[in-house]
Amino acid sequence: MIVIDKEKCIGCGLCADDCPAGKIALHEAKAVWSPDCIQCGHCVAVCPQAAVSIPEYEMDDVEEYDPATFTVKPEHFLHAVKFRRSIRNFRGQKIDRACMERILQAGRYTATAKNRQACRFIVLQEELEVFKELLWQQVPDLAEKIKKEMPHYSMMFKFLYRRRRKDLKDDGLFFNAPACILIAADNSLDGGLAAANIENMAVAEGAGILYSGYLNRIIEACPVLKEWLGIQDITLVCCMLAGYPAVTYRRTAPRKKADIVWR
């Protein structure tokens, strides 16, 4: 699982000190690892001699620390967070494959519980129209099924479906977004954290995101949709519409005062 190059290892002990699972120790002035390691990669990242590797991971993707590019200025990061908007008006332009892959890398590198890296990312772009038609077919039955337990959602889904029937261009669930990114995971927090990083990267690429709770509920409640997506046994934790914004925002939006307890 973990390979430690004995020729490079200088026995500094940094990997042992930083190992979250306590699975690395020094033996005869060399680092050795124990089974049941969670492969978090801290040992790879902290080693000053690049003596550690995890062969089953993509080691070619490991980057060396560069202070010139590592740090984002705090004021720039906060400005980016404040400036983000939920996009409901998209241009027709698709996100090209290379750009989408970079966006998803931000999700791939997000922290996960016990380093399971168990999020599945599904990108609907080429087959989005096929999926949309299948989803709209499920809406009437779902609205009827949930009208007692979730009357608000039932009424909303019926309303959107009626609008859709009157005008096929009325895209009240998808907002004509050219892509949809879905995250399935057995840990909802893992998926949520990945989604936040994906959105930040999308914005950095000039794109925008809309988190859709409506779509998430519809898909999670319809086995035929989950089967089509190949996530029958995994919980869909996040659904994001993605594309290039057709609107330009001139400034950040105001917010209420933060509810912070200082102790």
Side-chain angles (χ1 to χ4, degrees):
M1 293 173 64
I2 305 296
V3 174
I4 299 174
D5 188 326
K6 300 300 182 184
E7 296 298 319
K8 292 183 178 180
C9 178
I10 58 174
C12 65
L14 290 175
C15 57
D17 292 341
D18 200 50
C19 179
K23 297 298 180 180
I24 298 180
L26 293 182
H27 179 67
E28 295 181 355
K30 298 291 181 179
V32 294
W33 66 276
S34 304
D36 301 322
C37 154
I38 63 173
Q39 294 180 282
C40 65
H42 277 225
C43 51
V44 174
V46 78
C47 180
Q49 300 298 111
V52 190
S53 62
I54 305 177
E56 67 183 90
Y57 286 177
E58 294 186 31
M59 293 301 299
D60 290 342
D61 209 27
V62 173
E63 299 181 23
E64 293 295 318
Y65 172 73
D66 180 356
T69 60
F70 175 78
T71 303
V72 178
K73 290 185 178 180
E75 61 270 24
H76 291 171
F77 181 77
L78 182 57
H79 175 75
V81 172
K82 291 171 66 177
F83 202 79
R84 69 148 298 279
R85 298 266 63 79
S86 295
I87 306 302
R88 293 177 176 85
N89 189 2
F90 294 93
R91 304 204 312 260
Q93 179 185 353
K94 290 185 176 181
I95 301 174
D96 68 52
R97 181 66 175 264
C99 179
M100 187 65 83
E101 287 180 348
R102 291 193 297 271
I103 290 170
L104 293 176
Q105 288 299 307
R108 173 193 174 202
Y109 273 94
T110 302
T112 56
K114 296 183 179 179
N115 192 42
R116 293 195 61 213
Q117 302 177 53
C119 291
R120 179 176 297 175
F121 306 103
I122 303 164
V123 180
L124 298 179
Q125 191 158 243
E126 299 305 321
E127 296 183 76
L128 180 57
E129 292 303 318
V130 175
F131 180 73
K132 284 166 66 172
E133 288 305 314
L134 181 61
L135 183 139
W136 278 113
Q137 292 171 18
Q138 314 307 311
V139 171
D141 287 344
L142 175 61
E144 189 65 24
K145 181 179 177 181
I146 65 174
K147 68 179 182 179
K148 289 185 179 180
E149 294 81 6
M150 292 182 282
H152 169 75
Y153 283 100
S154 176
M155 291 173 58
M156 178 58 70
F157 293 158
K158 287 179 180 180
F159 170 71
L160 292 173
Y161 183 74
R162 286 195 299 268
R163 280 178 39 180
R164 172 76 173 180
R165 288 192 64 184
K166 288 181 180 179
D167 182 1
L168 293 179
K169 293 182 179 179
D170 191 325
D171 199 19
L173 283 173
F174 291 89
F175 295 92
N176 296 309
C180 183
I181 303 171
L182 305 117
I183 304 177
D186 58 3
N187 184 309
S188 60
L189 182 58
D190 289 351
L193 292 172
N197 281 342
I198 284 173
E199 181 187 21
N200 287 333
M201 186 62 185
V203 172
E205 290 281 357
I209 294 290
L210 173 67
Y211 295 102
S212 178
Y214 286 155
L215 284 177
N216 208 118
R217 283 185 177 274
I218 292 171
I219 296 170
E220 187 60 25
C222 295
V224 65
L225 297 177
K226 295 196 68 176
E227 182 178 0
W228 191 92
L229 293 166
I231 55 171
Q232 302 95 311
D233 302 320
I234 316 174
T235 301
L236 179 65
V237 298
C238 191
C239 181
M240 298 179 286
L241 299 173
Y244 294 102
V247 59
T248 300
Y249 295 100
R250 304 294 181 180
R251 58 197 58 83
T252 64
R255 287 289 185 265
K256 297 177 182 178
K257 284 188 176 181
D259 184 357
I260 302 174
V261 178
W262 301 96
R263 297 288 296 270

